[in-house]
Amino acid sequence: MSDSEVQSKFVLQTAGFDARFPNTNQTRHCFQNYTDYFKCITAKGEDFAPCKQFKRAYNSLCPNEWISKWDEHRENGTFPASLEP
């Protein structure tokens, strides 16, 4: 497979600018997108396209270890934030 074929299959994007988080430390931005995603899918369902933007953003911003830890907390019912819409 040539480089051009590989490049055409994958499009890498990072989270866009969010005026609510103007500082370089993106920890809060990461957490907010994680919680917004689960609030969105609770309200609209997993097939609702705008919810996928939150998921792309938190996957781009958050360390994988944090996501795994938060997933465990959600499953155990000990997540520190409300995920109700």
Side-chain angles (χ1 to χ4, degrees):
M1 206 181 278
S2 71
D3 286 338
S4 63
E5 289 175 341
V6 171
Q7 288 176 351
S8 66
K9 286 187 177 184
F10 300 103
V11 177
L12 300 177
Q13 295 179 341
T14 59
F17 176 75
D18 190 334
R20 298 176 297 171
F21 306 100
N23 299 325
T24 56
N25 185 343
Q26 295 295 305
T27 302
R28 180 71 181 149
H29 190 186
C30 153
F31 184 77
Q32 188 65 50
N33 277 290
Y34 184 86
T35 56
D36 285 348
Y37 172 71
F38 287 100
K39 287 179 181 183
C40 184
I41 64 170
T42 300
K44 302 289 185 176
E46 289 190 36
D47 296 331
F48 190 60
C51 294
K52 294 177 184 174
Q53 176 58 34
F54 293 125
K55 186 172 186 172
R56 282 192 297 272
Y58 84 71
N59 278 321
S60 174
L61 293 168
C62 302
N64 292 332
E65 294 81 20
W66 292 7
I67 295 170
S68 298
K69 184 175 93 173
W70 292 337
D71 288 342
E72 288 175 20
H73 285 288
R74 277 188 314 101
E75 291 168 6
N76 296 333
T78 59
F79 190 71
S82 171
L83 297 177
E84 296 299 317

